[in-house]
Amino acid sequence: MKFGKTLKQQKQETLPDWRDKFLSYKDLKKLVKLMSSAPHILTGSSDQYVKAEADFIYLLNTEIDKFNSFFMEQEEDFVIRHKELQHRIERVVDRWGPNGRESSSALFKEEMAKIKVEIVNFHGEMVLLINYSNFNYTGLAKILKKYDKRTGGLLRSPFIQNVLQQPFFTTDLISKLVKECESMIDAVFPVLQEEEKGKFVEDRELITVSGEGVFRSTVAALLTMKEMRVRGSSTFGRFSLPPLVLPETDLPLPPLHLNSPIHIP
């Protein structure tokens, strides 16, 4: 599948508020096509070529700013939400837990069930943000390779070196929060018995944010990244797809049921 189609599919499967935050790949591709059809700079630069090149570089930088702004905003929100979830668990345990001030098994289970849903949603959103970083980096690498190939320019290497230093590419903190979130789940919700796993899986499939399934979007995103690795890439190399740093998880995954299935060749 062409990257443009994969990007379109990815945007359809992600959270609604995230859809306009991805790379404007189609617009960049149009500018590359315009440059490749204009007189080359070595034979005399045309106004059309110069304008298209300036627009291309401007759009690239604008996209980087967009990625950074969105990523850092989400990252800050995730740090706050992580702390709030920890404090909320502590409050519930201290108040309604077995040794709490107002110990109540019914209220304790009810509140912890609510927290479980929030933790799983939270975990899914963080995984989506890591995927967001990987996916947009991949798009940049692909469009820059297309630019170098079609125009004879050498923009890809220096631009990607700059991208590697950008906030949106640095996912260490989010990866750390993902692991801590999984540890939180293990601590708060002990390993499930076999007969309980089916129910837990059903719960995860039903979890929603803004009317869209976070878990559904997360699985779709992970399958897309897997597809891009399994089938190989014409842009494979030191500037192509970065290592997927998503931590391993022991959480049970249900079969994926999507309206638009992703086919892995």
Side-chain angles (χ1 to χ4, degrees), residues 9 43 52 124 127-128 131 147 151 159 201 206 217 231 234 257:
Q9 180 175 278
T43 60
V127 171
L128 283 177
N131 174 73
Y147 169 89
T151 68
F159 197 89
V201 166
L206 294 174
S217 298
R231 70 166 182 253
S234 61
H257 301 289

Side-chain angles (χ1 to χ4, degrees), residues 155-213:
L155 182 60
R156 185 185 183 207
S157 180
F159 197 89
I160 288 296
Q161 291 298 331
N162 176 56
V163 169
L164 297 180
Q165 309 302 316
Q166 298 300 315
F168 89 90
F169 185 79
T170 307
T171 60
D172 292 349
L173 175 57
I174 296 299
S175 296
K176 179 175 178 289
L177 289 177
V178 169
K179 289 297 293 182
E180 291 181 3
C181 186
E182 292 177 356
S183 297
M184 189 188 306
I185 293 173
D186 289 339
V188 177
F189 311 106
V191 178
L192 299 172
Q193 299 296 322
E194 288 298 324
E195 58 270 18
E196 295 179 292
K197 286 186 178 179
K199 180 60 169 63
F200 184 59
V201 166
E202 292 173 4
D203 289 344
R204 293 191 64 177
E205 287 184 300
L206 294 174
I207 292 171
T208 60
V209 167
S210 301
E212 295 279 337

Side-chain angles (χ1 to χ4, degrees), residues 10 23-24 36 43 65 67 79 90 125-126 183 218 222 251:
Q10 181 81 348
L23 180 69
S24 300
S36 65
T43 60
D65 290 341
F67 299 157
V79 169
E90 292 173 1
E125 288 180 63
M126 289 192 293
S183 297
T218 303
L222 292 176
L251 298 179

Side-chain angles (χ1 to χ4, degrees), residues 89-108:
I89 291 171
E90 292 173 1
R91 289 196 298 270
V92 170
V93 172
D94 290 343
R95 184 173 181 179
W96 292 301
N99 300 313
R101 301 187 308 275
E102 305 172 36
S103 183
S104 169
S105 177
L107 288 174
F108 180 73

Side-chain angles (χ1 to χ4, degrees), residues 28-39 46 48-49 51-53 55 150-151:
L28 289 165
K29 189 176 178 181
K30 285 181 180 178
L31 290 171
V32 170
K33 184 177 181 180
L34 186 60
M35 280 183 279
S36 65
S37 64
S46 68
Q48 182 186 34
Y49 185 96
K51 183 178 186 308
E53 184 178 47
D55 289 345
R150 296 284 183 85
T151 68

Side-chain angles (χ1 to χ4, degrees), residues 3-99:
F3 181 79
K5 291 184 178 179
T6 304
L7 174 60
K8 182 178 179 180
Q9 180 175 278
Q10 181 81 348
K11 290 166 72 173
Q12 290 174 341
E13 297 293 353
T14 196
L15 303 178
D17 292 344
W18 292 34
R19 289 173 184 163
D20 62 346
K21 308 302 181 184
F22 282 83
L23 180 69
S24 300
Y25 186 78
K26 186 176 181 180
D27 292 336
L28 289 165
K29 189 176 178 181
K30 285 181 180 178
L31 290 171
V32 170
K33 184 177 181 180
L34 186 60
M35 280 183 279
S36 65
S37 64
H40 193 275
I41 190 169
L42 295 179
T43 60
S45 175
S46 68
D47 291 342
Q48 182 186 34
Y49 185 96
V50 171
K51 183 178 186 308
E53 184 178 47
D55 289 345
F56 180 79
I57 294 174
Y58 176 79
L59 182 54
L60 279 176
N61 289 319
T62 300
E63 292 295 278
I64 295 297
D65 290 341
K66 178 177 72 177
F67 299 157
N68 285 337
S69 177
F70 177 72
F71 187 90
M72 290 188 292
E73 180 181 345
Q74 293 298 314
E75 187 177 61
E76 182 179 3
D77 180 61
F78 289 159
V79 169
I80 294 172
R81 287 169 62 185
H82 181 261
K83 292 180 179 178
E84 288 177 343
L85 280 169
Q86 289 179 316
H87 293 157
R88 187 173 168 188
I89 291 171
E90 292 173 1
R91 289 196 298 270
V92 170
V93 172
D94 290 343
R95 184 173 181 179
W96 292 301
N99 300 313

